[in-house]
């Protein structure tokens, strides 16, 4: 049983979420909703390398192999020029900032992010790849202070520092008690789900990376080589592959997340093949939540047959302050997603907490920022039969039409 480092239930009702009631969570000592409902925390990409790694207590060699920036400390300088001094070294709670209070209030039964960073001191950078993310293994406490249960690794940065770096990443996270679906020491291990066991029923998490998100096909794990769980395309064979894997592991009462690193970094368009793939997974009973990520900003959410599809969860935090480019997407405004699933796996509610990155720290978004992201998300969700409302507490609530 993994003990949380900072969370304790205060008995307070979560603002705007009166349907959630407290009961004991035997796995993590946490409370959760009544009636078998399962409350989750989901986020998109957690990018903890480069500048963020450099302001923590332990840092890797700052040398980078990027076309323009050759020293990771340059990203710290850019952020400080944009928003003010960062007094390094910062604590491991610092980057999470106000997000820790949100997590304490909502107290989700499982916490899942996509870790788009290698956790290693390996210097074996992947040649021919433009960007390489890594953070020092000692900085894994950055993940445990937020009580993360699983970091999906099916993405295009986990092998940035070679196979040695991937093996160190897996071993480091395992020692920290964090599940790592989506990559492994072999193909069999990389394709296995993370299995979490809160009181309201098992949760299975399957993680896949796709070439459309920049995952090299030769990163595919094999019987003899560590690597990523790669879906080479989104077609019939891949539907069958995912469905067969889920059916092999799923028991009655289980709920399933299929986490997909897919698509480009910028733009609100949802490719038809992504929508069809997500629909087919749900039709086949292979997914209760489709957790999509890769875009640096939040994209549309669709509720299909009662199951949520996050086409792009956006970054949770990154080191992009002061870099410039794509200002229309305001990637400094990020979202924490809190879906609640009923016993059947259907979506009961979905609220989101808007946050803002400032000086490598998550702050509660201001009124203007919350309105802005709410309006953009509402515009995109309406294309899929949903709408997004800004609550009086400054959160965003998804409403949808029942099919």
């Amino acid at each position: 049983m993994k003990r949380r480092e900072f969370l304790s239930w205060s008995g307070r009702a979560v603002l705007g979420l009166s349907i959630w009631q407290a009961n004991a969570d035997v796995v993590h000592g946490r409370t959760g909703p009544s009636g078998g409902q399962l409350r989750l925390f989901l986020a998109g990409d957690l990018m903890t390398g480069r500048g963020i790694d450099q302001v923590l207590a332990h840092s890797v060699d700052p040398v980078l192999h990027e076309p323009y920036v050759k020293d990771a400390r340059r990203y710290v300088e850019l952020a400080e020029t944009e928003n003010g001094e960062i007094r390094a070294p910062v604590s491991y709670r610092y980057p999470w900032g106000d997000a820790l209070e949100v997590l304490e209030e909502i107290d989700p039964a499982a916490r899942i992010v996509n870790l788009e960073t290698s956790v290693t001191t390996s210097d074996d950078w992947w040649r021919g790849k433009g960007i390489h993310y890594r953070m020092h293994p000692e900085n894994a406490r950055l993940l445990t202070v937020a009580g993360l249960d699983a970091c999906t690794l099916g993405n295009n940065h986990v092998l940035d520092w070679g196979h040695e770096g991937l093996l160190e990443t897996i071993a480091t996270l395992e020692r920290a008690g964090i599940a790592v679906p989506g990559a492994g020491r072999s193909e069999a291990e990389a394709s296995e789900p993370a299995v979490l066991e809160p009181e309201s029923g098992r949760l299975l998490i399957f993680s896949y990376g796709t070439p459309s998100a920049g995952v090299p096909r030769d990163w595919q794990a094999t019987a003899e080589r560590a690597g990523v769980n790669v879906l080479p395309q989104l077609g019939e064979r891949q539907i069958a592959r995912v469905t067969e894997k889920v059916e092999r592991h799923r028991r009655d009462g289980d709920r399933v997340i299929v986490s997909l690193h897919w698509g480009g970094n910028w733009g609100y368009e949802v490719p038809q093949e992504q929508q069809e793939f997500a629909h087919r997974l749900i039709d086949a009973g292979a997914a209760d939540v489709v957790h999509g990520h890769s875009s640096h900003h939040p994209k549309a959410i669709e509720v299909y047959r009662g199951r949520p599809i996050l086409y792009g969860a956006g970054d949770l935090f990154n080191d992009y302050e002061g870099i410039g480019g794509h200002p229309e997407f305001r990637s400094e405004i990020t979202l924490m997603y809190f879906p609640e699933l009923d016993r059947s796996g259907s979506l009961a509610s979905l609220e989101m907490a808007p946050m803002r990155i400032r000086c490598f720290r998550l702050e509660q978004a201001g009124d203007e920022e919350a309105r802005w992201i709410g309006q953009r998300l509402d515009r995109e969700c309406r294309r899929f039969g949903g709408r997004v409302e800004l609550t009086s507490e400054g959160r965003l609530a998804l409403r949808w039409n029942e099919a």
Side-chain angles (χ1 to χ4, degrees), residues 71-129:
D71 190 309
R73 291 169 293 191
R74 176 60 179 156
Y75 288 102
V76 182
E77 295 171 0
L78 290 169
E80 291 183 322
T81 299
E82 182 76 9
N83 286 316
E85 182 183 3
I86 301 171
R87 296 187 177 182
V90 300
S91 74
Y92 291 114
R93 294 172 60 91
Y94 171 90
W96 291 97
D98 295 340
L100 295 181
E101 183 177 349
V102 175
L103 287 169
E104 184 176 7
E105 273 191 356
I106 295 179
D107 195 32
R111 303 145 193 247
I112 300 130
V113 304
N114 180 61
L115 181 62
E116 205 172 19
T117 302
S118 185
V119 186
T120 183
T121 57
S122 168
D123 290 322
D124 184 22
W125 57 282
W126 197 276
R127 273 65 174 174
K129 194 171 183 293

Side-chain angles (χ1 to χ4, degrees), residues 9-10 21-25 28-33 39 105-109:
W9 179 251
S10 65
Q21 303 295 325
N23 67 2
D25 182 319
H28 297 309
R30 292 197 299 237
T31 59
R39 184 168 61 235
E105 273 191 356
I106 295 179
D107 195 32

Side-chain angles (χ1 to χ4, degrees), residues 236 239-240 242-244 246-247 250 256 258 274-290 302-309 311 403:
E236 293 292 333
I239 290 288
V242 177
T243 300
E244 186 276 333
V246 172
E247 288 177 346
R250 190 171 198 165
V256 176
V258 176
Q274 287 187 4
Q275 185 180 31
E276 291 178 352
F277 191 79
H279 285 191
R280 293 289 302 280
L281 286 178
I282 293 168
D283 288 339
D288 295 310
V289 178
V290 177
E302 179 181 11
V303 180
Y304 174 72
R305 299 184 64 180
R307 270 62 180 174
I309 305 167
Y311 285 108

Side-chain angles (χ1 to χ4, degrees), residues 25 59 71 268 343 371:
D25 182 319
S59 302
D71 190 309
Y268 291 108
R343 283 191 180 276
R371 283 195 300 271

Side-chain angles (χ1 to χ4, degrees), residues 47-301:
M47 307 173 78
T48 58
R50 296 194 319 195
I52 293 175
D53 175 76
Q54 293 300 308
V55 301
L56 293 171
H58 303 270
S59 302
V60 297
D61 188 331
V63 172
L64 298 177
H65 305 279
E66 300 178 4
Y68 302 107
V69 178
K70 303 300 183 183
D71 190 309
R73 291 169 293 191
R74 176 60 179 156
Y75 288 102
V76 182
E77 295 171 0
L78 290 169
E80 291 183 322
T81 299
E82 182 76 9
N83 286 316
E85 182 183 3
I86 301 171
R87 296 187 177 182
V90 300
S91 74
Y92 291 114
R93 294 172 60 91
Y94 171 90
W96 291 97
D98 295 340
L100 295 181
E101 183 177 349
V102 175
L103 287 169
E104 184 176 7
E105 273 191 356
I106 295 179
D107 195 32
R111 303 145 193 247
I112 300 130
V113 304
N114 180 61
L115 181 62
E116 205 172 19
T117 302
S118 185
V119 186
T120 183
T121 57
S122 168
D123 290 322
D124 184 22
W125 57 282
W126 197 276
R127 273 65 174 174
K129 194 171 183 293
I131 304 294
H132 305 82
Y133 281 100
R134 64 172 170 166
M135 75 170 180
H136 197 286
E138 292 291 336
N139 291 336
R141 282 196 60 198
L142 176 64
L143 310 176
T144 61
V145 296
L148 297 183
D149 293 286
C151 290
T152 61
L153 299 185
N155 61 59
N156 62 317
H157 285 292
V158 72
L159 251 170
D160 279 354
W161 297 88
H163 290 93
E164 179 183 336
L166 174 60
L167 292 172
E168 187 174 14
T169 298
I170 293 169
T172 300
L173 297 180
E174 287 179 342
R175 284 195 300 271
I178 298 173
V180 288
R185 300 172 182 86
S186 65
E187 182 175 15
E189 186 175 292
S191 65
E192 287 295 291
V195 181
L196 307 181
E197 301 193 49
E199 185 181 75
S200 56
R202 292 202 320 166
L203 177 67
L204 307 184
I205 307 163
F206 296 83
S207 170
Y208 299 87
T210 72
S212 68
V215 181
R217 292 174 186 266
D218 57 358
W219 281 17
Q220 171 65 55
T222 68
E224 297 81 25
R225 184 185 65 199
V228 172
N229 193 24
V230 178
L231 278 182
Q233 54 189 318
L234 304 178
E236 293 292 333
R237 292 180 61 184
Q238 287 70 43
I239 290 288
R241 171 183 161 188
V242 177
T243 300
E244 186 276 333
K245 193 71 176 178
V246 172
E247 288 177 346
R248 186 185 308 172
H249 289 273
R250 190 171 198 165
R251 304 174 187 167
D252 288 345
D254 287 353
R255 281 157 284 199
V256 176
I257 296 174
V258 176
S259 189
L260 296 161
H261 201 63
W262 60 2
N265 293 149
W266 306 103
Y268 291 108
E269 180 186 1
V270 174
Q272 184 176 353
E273 68 170 358
Q274 287 187 4
Q275 185 180 31
E276 291 178 352
F277 191 79
H279 285 191
R280 293 289 302 280
L281 286 178
I282 293 168
D283 288 339
D288 295 310
V289 178
V290 177
H291 174 218
H293 36 80
S294 176
S295 60
H296 290 315
H297 56 89
K299 297 176 66 172
I301 305 166

